[in-house]
Amino acid sequence: MTRLRFKLKDESIVDKDVLEHIDGVLGTANVSGIYQVIIGTNVDQMYDEIQNNYLKGKTAKEDTTKKDGIVSRILELVSSTLSPLIPAIMGAGFISIMLALFTQLGILASDSQTYVILNGIANCVYYFFPVLIALSLASRLKVNQIFAVVSACFLLYPDFINMFQGGETAVSFLGIPVMFATYSKQIIPIFFSVFCQKYIEKVVYRFTPKVIRTMVGSGIILILTVLVTIVVLGPFGDLLTQGLNAVVYFVVDTCGWVAIPIMSFLNPIFL
């Protein structure tokens, strides 16, 4: 995370020139109705300062007079879900850079046990990224975080993955085909999964008696969430991911240096 994001009721009160001359502020941007103050790597400390000195004990009131567009809400949700994960991503990146430097200098061999352990620490952040996404998104959507994490873990569960034999073996559940997909390092499939869980929870809790809700209701939620994910939402999300990757590679391969401003334009949306 490199930016503080503010959802302002009145954007006219912002004095951009004064704001950008504050020590520690690197710049500002207004993306889809969200006013962003670019801080850099010290954004966590700045956020804590604002929370403790200006927002402590206060709760935001919902503005019902103005409704954001669907695109703005989606981008805000994606951004707020990914932001807490940025420190882990940056930490993993630092470890990868350090390992590359050490191997180039001959300080550490790539086949040494030390290298394998350190490399594993970095790689697990990306491999288990769906689990981290599930935890963060479930918190934002106010659904059961443990259920979301369990569903994400199932997508990476070795026995489930091995059933497909690398996509060569057909897998089905009660005759319903389950498509093969690689879910590690992915974002979109688990977004769909947690959204699905939100509505499944509402329906199950509504019709499940309280006396059996903890055991039976929880089991039904897990089963339905995982099944809908692996049968429909997961493969669809995987196809969307492949499509987005194809677009990015096409832009980079086709446009060359022109791709830089395009990616720079998209950067404020996600970082």
Side-chain angles (χ1 to χ4, degrees):
M1 182 177 181
T2 60
R3 303 157 189 255
L4 289 172
R5 291 171 171 82
F6 298 91
K7 188 176 181 181
L8 303 176
K9 293 183 179 180
D10 183 8
E11 296 182 6
S12 64
I13 65 175
V14 178
D15 191 329
K16 184 177 179 181
D17 291 334
V18 173
L19 184 59
E20 291 184 345
H21 282 85
I22 295 176
D23 185 31
V25 174
L26 305 179
T28 61
N30 194 335
V31 180
S32 301
I34 304 298
Y35 202 87
Q36 304 179 6
V37 181
I38 305 171
I39 304 296
T41 57
N42 295 323
V43 68
D44 290 336
Q45 293 90 330
M46 186 69 73
Y47 174 82
D48 291 338
E49 287 292 328
I50 294 176
Q51 282 287 102
N52 295 331
N53 294 309
Y54 299 100
L55 301 178
K56 191 173 183 180
K58 299 180 180 180
T59 56
K61 294 182 179 179
E62 184 179 358
D63 183 7
T64 57
T65 62
K66 181 180 179 181
K67 294 293 184 181
D68 293 331
I70 182 66
V71 174
S72 177
R73 283 183 287 172
I74 291 175
L75 292 178
E76 192 278 332
L77 179 63
V78 172
S79 175
S80 61
T81 299
L82 293 176
S83 292
L85 310 182
I86 297 299
I89 298 173
M90 295 178 67
F94 168 75
I95 295 174
S96 298
I97 294 173
M98 182 180 65
L99 288 176
L101 180 62
F102 285 177
T103 52
Q104 287 293 325
L105 295 176
I107 299 175
L108 191 64
S110 60
D111 58 351
S112 68
Q113 295 179 346
T114 300
Y115 180 94
V116 172
I117 292 174
L118 291 175
N119 191 51
I121 295 173
N123 286 339
C124 75
V125 173
Y126 304 111
Y127 183 85
F128 293 105
F129 205 59
V131 179
L132 302 180
I133 288 288
L135 184 65
S136 181
L137 181 58
S139 176
R140 292 281 295 122
L141 296 180
K142 294 180 173 55
V143 300
N144 191 297
Q145 291 177 285
I146 302 302
F147 292 163
V149 167
V150 170
S151 299
C153 287
F154 180 82
L155 299 180
L156 307 174
Y157 185 50
D159 287 354
F160 170 65
I161 297 174
N162 292 336
M163 291 174 65
F164 295 93
Q165 297 295 317
E168 297 180 358
T169 301
V171 176
S172 64
F173 178 84
L174 297 178
I176 304 173
V178 178
M179 291 180 59
F180 173 71
T182 302
Y183 295 110
S184 63
K185 307 178 182 179
Q186 290 214 41
I187 296 177
I188 297 178
I190 198 62
F191 257 87
F192 288 164
S193 177
V194 178
F195 262 103
C196 175
Q197 176 192 324
K198 178 179 181 179
Y199 296 101
I200 289 175
E201 281 188 10
K202 289 182 178 179
V203 173
V204 172
Y205 284 149
R206 180 179 180 183
F207 294 101
T208 305
K210 291 184 178 180
V211 67
I212 61 172
R213 182 173 296 172
T214 301
M215 178 178 290
V216 178
S218 298
I220 293 174
I221 291 171
L222 286 174
I223 291 173
L224 292 179
T225 301
V226 169
L227 289 182
V228 173
T229 299
I230 64 176
V231 172
V232 181
L233 301 179
F236 179 64
D238 180 57
L239 290 175
L240 282 181
T241 301
Q242 294 181 35
L244 290 174
N245 289 338
V247 170
V248 171
Y249 291 136
F250 173 80
V251 170
V252 173
D253 294 339
T254 304
C255 301
W257 64 269
V258 180
I260 297 177
I262 296 176
M263 297 305 172
S264 298
F265 173 76
L266 296 175
N267 180 65
I269 297 176
F270 299 106
L271 294 179

